[in-house]
Amino acid sequence: MAYAFPHDELKPLTKGFTDSLSELGNLNLEHLPQDYNGSALTLVESLSSLVVLGNLTEFDRGVSWLSENLTFDVDARVNLFECNIRLLGGLISAHILAKDYSSQNKDGVYQNQLLHLAENLGSRFLPAFETPTGLPYYGVMENETTETSTSGCGSLILEMGALSRLTGDPRYEAAALRALRKLWSMRSSLNLVGSTLDVLSGNWIEYSSGIGAGVDSFYEYLIKAYILFGSDEYWDMFHSAYLAVQKYFRHGPWYHEADIRTGEATHWQLTSLQAFWPGVQTLLGDVAAANLSHREFYNVWQRFGVLPERYLLDYGILHPTEKYYPLRPEFAESTFYLYQATKDPWYLEVGESIIGSLNYYTKVEGGFASIRDVSTMNLEDHQHSFFLSETCKYLFLLYDDSFLRNKNYIFTTEGHPLPVMSTWHEKTPRLDVPTNWTVVKDGNQPIRASALSSKVCPETIFRQNVGSPWESACHIPDVFPSHRCRADDDCGIESVTCKRRTCSMAGYCGLWLAVY
């Protein structure tokens, strides 16, 4: 605020600013505006973080300033995806929080100003979807490029869906959902999606894909859309995609890239954006797999002091050009999710290591600087807006989750909290269903019991009939072979540990604790 406001982002080394919104996703820095003076990007991104920190005074000041000064009536080329997750998501989340905390606002003057700004911005997005396929252009400029990423087309549903629910205007959610459905229809026979595509033809440009850059938030938004809106359509897409990722991309704790047509590995590399995956797996309830990958990311973090942008797994060396660390949040995010799910204090130690590295390597007098080269720890004069909206937020929540107590939020890919509400759901959110409700039993449903209570030997039965449902004496199979569930009663007893399986928030039976 001291050196950069109301511009977009801070330059901490020189204590200056950069109006960088037009540069986000613009790798070739084309069509940069001449008279653009910023959109207070970092302030918009930081509003929800101020509430998480409990600083409602500064939150109120920020809301008031934006209500009176922010305008989108500027001639600037922007990336639809980046503008959606950063600005639209930030405004929608802050609006909801402003409504929730309005009783604590001493002025009591909030009257949906941020929602009006969000609607104004969202309406400017809609022309980008005017393509034969429904897949949106990179942006809304005339003669815009027809090439975009899977994330760019498939990571819009949370923000635009929430905007429709808040305003009653279905156009935003309909546009994002149409694009998502089209994208899913383009999947290969292996249920894999590519990384870049042409929005006019609906054809893939890049068939090599993984869970990192260009694709990451596509997977993230499928599971989070299911949690936020409750539609089985999102779950069905995510479940098929997740199984395909585990089958074709996973190699032990690592995830490589592969050709979506054949499943053959193409690039054996770790990218820092992949560190979001353990967090998604934790939401799903696959905590064991999440922990396995998270520990490998931590090993790389310990080796270099931070997480490099790209690390070549097959050679065990840094990528020759992508050696930077731009204060990314994904590893801290997954650490937060895993601690919430397990309460294992080891994750607190990981958090301390992350904070120690940030303070030691990146903290300067004017803020926190990105690292240009992790092999030398030379700094770059840039503090990205996501550092305050995500990295700092997840690290704070790791040690103080009072913001989340007695509440149920899902975080967007930019760390903006959106509440899980029954009014947005096709069915009641799982966490709102009392576990002691009586379940109506079908009279024709067989009694579900273990091999032990049924007085049979699972080993003998298994040899005689490979289709036997019992794997051990205590084992009780889940009701559905897909392991889907609506309540805990749909889940059985684990065959190895003999522990009761429970139904996760995502509707999947497993051994896990709910993330609150």
Side-chain angles (χ1 to χ4, degrees):
M1 295 297 287
Y3 304 122
F5 180 75
H7 298 277
D8 285 337
E9 293 179 317
L10 171 67
K11 299 179 74 172
L13 297 179
T14 57
K15 300 179 182 178
F17 61 83
T18 173
D19 291 318
S20 52
L21 184 61
S22 289
E23 300 174 8
L24 300 176
N26 188 358
L27 299 180
N28 297 323
L29 299 180
E30 300 173 325
H31 309 289
L32 296 179
Q34 300 299 315
D35 301 318
Y36 173 67
N37 294 310
S39 300
L41 176 62
T42 295
L43 174 60
V44 174
E45 288 253 73
S46 302
L47 286 177
S48 62
S49 296
L50 290 170
V51 176
V52 169
L53 291 169
N55 193 340
L56 298 181
T57 300
E58 285 301 311
F59 174 76
D60 290 341
R61 288 182 58 193
V63 170
S64 297
W65 189 92
L66 292 171
S67 301
E68 297 171 3
N69 297 279
L70 183 60
T71 177
F72 300 115
D73 191 17
V74 293
D75 186 14
R77 183 202 189 202
V78 296
N79 180 300
L80 174 65
F81 165 71
E82 295 286 357
C83 210
N84 173 73
I85 64 172
R86 299 194 191 214
L87 280 178
L88 185 61
L91 290 170
I92 290 173
S93 178
H95 159 72
I96 295 171
L97 293 172
K99 297 285 285 187
D100 289 345
Y101 290 89
S102 60
S103 61
Q104 302 179 41
N105 185 335
K106 61 183 179 182
D107 298 324
V109 296
Y110 183 71
Q111 297 178 339
N112 299 332
Q113 300 97 313
L114 298 185
L115 180 59
H116 297 324
L117 284 169
E119 189 170 17
N120 180 283
L121 179 61
S123 66
R124 296 168 188 261
F125 289 174
L126 293 178
F129 293 86
E130 296 175 359
T131 64
T133 61
L135 297 167
Y137 286 108
Y138 169 98
V140 295
M141 185 182 73
E142 290 185 2
N143 301 316
E144 185 57 272
T145 176
T146 63
E147 180 178 343
T148 191
S149 68
T150 298
S151 291
C153 290
S155 308
L156 307 167
I157 190 63
L158 293 187
E159 294 84 1
M160 297 188 72
L163 182 59
S164 283
R165 306 300 172 103
L166 291 168
T167 62
D169 187 337
R171 293 180 300 161
Y172 310 110
E173 184 172 4
L177 182 55
R178 181 191 177 202
L180 185 59
R181 285 170 172 164
K182 175 60 180 178
L183 195 60
W184 184 239
S185 74
M186 294 165 55
R187 69 192 185 278
S188 73
S189 60
L190 305 180
N191 282 335
L192 297 173
V193 294
S195 54
T196 58
L197 55 112
D198 185 275
V199 301
L200 295 184
S201 66
N203 294 326
W204 294 113
I205 296 174
E206 179 55 67
Y207 289 94
S208 178
S209 186
I211 60 169
V215 193
D216 50 350
S217 53
F218 164 74
Y219 296 110
E220 178 185 2
Y221 271 35
L222 289 180
I223 182 64
K224 290 184 175 180
Y226 171 67
I227 296 171
L228 188 63
F229 301 125
S231 171
D232 284 338
E233 180 179 8
Y234 299 120
W235 169 261
D236 292 338
M237 286 189 279
F238 174 79
H239 189 233
S240 297
Y242 182 77
L243 293 178
V245 166
Q246 296 299 94
K247 181 176 181 179
Y248 296 105
F249 295 159
R250 183 180 180 182
H251 183 79
W254 304 107
Y255 290 83
H256 58 73
E257 295 177 19
D259 189 308
I260 66 172
R261 297 164 294 188
T262 65
E264 295 294 324
T266 53
H267 301 291
W268 292 81
Q269 57 189 0
L270 171 151
T271 64
S272 61
L273 288 172
Q274 291 177 350
F276 87 101
W277 190 250
V280 167
Q281 290 182 304
T282 305
L283 274 179
L284 174 65
D286 199 353
V287 176
N291 173 66
L292 188 65
S293 293
H294 179 271
R295 287 179 182 267
E296 294 301 329
F297 279 111
Y298 185 48
N299 288 336
V300 176
W301 181 285
Q302 288 183 304
R303 176 178 175 182
F304 294 102
V306 293
L307 203 59
E309 186 70 3
R310 199 175 295 269
Y311 178 76
L312 304 180
L313 295 173
D314 44 356
Y315 297 103
I317 60 174
L318 289 170
H319 188 277
T321 59
E322 297 184 45
K323 304 178 180 181
Y324 50 88
Y325 170 66
L327 308 175
R328 288 203 188 278
E330 286 77 13
F331 183 58
E333 176 186 7
S334 288
T335 304
F336 157 73
Y337 276 112
L338 277 163
Y339 178 69
Q340 286 289 310
T342 66
K343 298 303 179 183
D344 186 336
W346 181 80
Y347 296 108
L348 299 179
E349 297 177 12
V350 174
E352 291 175 7
S353 178
I354 297 173
I355 294 170
S357 292
L358 291 173
N359 283 327
Y360 185 77
Y361 294 115
T362 73
K363 187 177 181 180
V364 296
E365 185 177 349
F368 287 81
S370 300
I371 296 176
R372 187 185 303 275
D373 186 338
V374 302
S375 63
T376 64
M377 290 300 177
N378 290 334
L379 299 178
E380 182 178 356
D381 197 14
H382 197 172
Q383 179 181 297
H384 293 269
S385 62
F386 57 66
F387 176 68
L388 295 180
S389 72
E390 295 186 83
T391 310
C392 292
K393 179 183 290 158
Y394 287 123
L395 288 171
F396 182 85
L397 287 171
L398 181 61
Y399 299 97
D400 183 350
D401 62 359
S402 55
F403 169 75
L404 300 173
R405 289 174 191 163
N406 301 317
K407 297 175 183 176
N408 192 13
Y409 288 102
I410 200 73
F411 289 93
T412 71
T413 195
E414 199 70 7
H416 300 304
L418 297 175
V420 179
M421 301 184 293
S422 59
T423 53
W424 287 10
H425 254 244
E426 294 184 4
K427 56 181 178 293
T428 306
R430 175 68 188 91
L431 290 182
D432 290 345
V433 179
T435 57
N436 62 348
W437 274 10
T438 300
V439 178
V440 178
K441 300 292 186 180
D442 184 348
N444 297 321
Q445 182 179 354
I447 297 175
R448 299 175 62 235
S450 68
L452 183 62
S453 63
S454 298
K455 298 180 181 180
V456 296
C457 176
E459 175 68 8
T460 303
I461 294 178
F462 184 78
R463 287 183 177 179
Q464 295 176 350
N465 179 11
V466 178
S468 169
W470 286 303
E471 297 175 6
S472 72
C474 63
H475 181 223
I476 298 179
D478 297 333
V479 170
F480 302 106
S482 65
H483 308 295
R484 289 289 305 279
C485 56
R486 301 285 184 178
D488 289 346
D489 284 347
D490 293 335
C491 303
I493 303 295
E494 191 80 3
S495 62
V496 177
T497 63
C498 295
K499 292 182 178 179
R500 175 77 189 184
R501 289 159 65 84
T502 57
C503 189
S504 73
M505 184 167 59
Y508 191 90
C509 291
L511 293 176
W512 75 298
L513 300 174
V515 179
Y516 294 100

